[in-house]
Amino acid sequence: MQLTGNTIFITGGGSRIGRELARRFNDLGSADRSRAQNGPAAISTFSQQVVKQHPELNVLINNAGIMRYEDLSKARDLHDAEAQITTNLLGPIRLTNALINHLTTRANPVVVNVSSGLAFVPRSDAGTYGASKAAIHSYTLSLREQLKGQVKLIEITPPAA
Ligand SMILES: NC(=O)c1ccc[n+]([C@@H]2O[C@H](COP(=O)([O-])OP(=O)(O)OC[C@H]3O[C@@H](n4cnc5c(N)ncnc54)[C@H](OP(=O)(O)O)[C@@H]3O)[C@@H](O)[C@H]2O)c1
């Protein structure tokens, strides 16, 4: 990935890993920060606005994510599980879909997906989180294959911090 001359759309850019990525790219003079909601209609509308305001957009970083501890040993309210799937998996799928037609028109387009070491070595008390990250890892492999020669796919797999 070239490190300068990009216009970058990063989700979760206000906190920790996302904020640091945004700061580093800003230091290189190439980042533009934004924030996404994760409902399908909101993502579609927001993406259209972003492209209109920033037609030079060429990099999407799907960083926003949540982790919740879960006790899988008894029936529970699945709200947390569903929220993790929505944010960690459906969010990147929806946002990539909303921007893919634009990205393929740009020079040096890149999609960065942030997975986790827990995709590969799960924590038993964070089952849905690990599953969502394993899924985004797998989805990234498929995207990389299908977009070969068009859009570069990068997976960041942070260790626990
Ligand atoms: N930190 C680690 O040890 C670690 C390790 C492996 C992987 N990761 C992954 O790295 C990424 C960033 O982690 P982090 O530790 O920097 O996370 P974080 O500090 O908890 O920040 C998460 C960011 O995502 C945003 N976000 C959460 N839900 C959202 C939603 N539904 N729609 C839009 N934005 C949403 C948050 O915005 P608000 O605060 O405004 O909600 C926040 O800016 C995540 O995907 C995480 O799973 C982190």
Side-chain angles (χ1 to χ4, degrees):
M1 175 181 175
Q2 66 172 40
L3 295 176
T4 57
N6 298 308
T7 299
I8 299 173
F9 181 172
I10 177 166
T11 63
S15 173
R16 300 211 294 179
I17 291 175
R19 186 175 53 212
E20 191 59 21
L21 284 169
R23 190 182 70 76
R24 294 290 186 96
F25 278 116
N26 258 328
D27 287 349
L28 292 165
S30 63
D32 196 0
R33 288 176 51 183
S34 199
R35 189 182 195 288
Q37 304 295 319
N38 57 14
I43 284 180
S44 175
T45 304
F46 187 68
S47 299
Q48 285 169 19
Q49 287 169 359
V50 168
V51 167
K52 200 169 173 188
Q53 287 167 12
H54 303 283
E56 66 283 12
L57 174 74
N58 71 315
V59 178
L60 166 63
I61 304 181
N62 287 306
N63 165 76
I66 54 173
M67 183 175 107
R68 301 288 181 260
Y69 295 109
E70 298 168 299
D71 178 358
L72 310 181
S73 68
K74 51 184 180 290
R76 67 200 197 280
D77 182 336
L78 287 178
H79 178 264
D80 270 357
E82 290 166 5
Q84 289 173 95
I85 298 293
T86 301
T87 301
N88 301 351
L89 179 59
L90 286 175
I93 290 173
R94 288 169 175 160
L95 197 48
T96 305
N97 182 62
L99 291 172
I100 194 62
N101 289 350
H102 170 76
L103 289 172
T104 52
T105 68
R106 305 305 307 159
N108 303 311
V110 180
V111 173
V112 180
N113 287 337
V114 179
S115 64
S116 168
L118 298 182
F120 308 98
V121 185
R123 276 184 70 129
S124 60
D125 58 358
T128 305
Y129 177 82
S132 72
K133 292 299 187 177
I136 202 62
H137 164 71
S138 174
Y139 196 73
T140 304
L141 296 180
S142 296
L143 274 174
R144 183 177 291 138
E145 189 61 26
Q146 286 209 7
L147 295 174
K148 199 180 281 179
Q150 295 185 80
V151 178
K152 188 173 179 61
L153 259 294
I154 295 173
E155 178 179 1
I156 298 178
T157 307

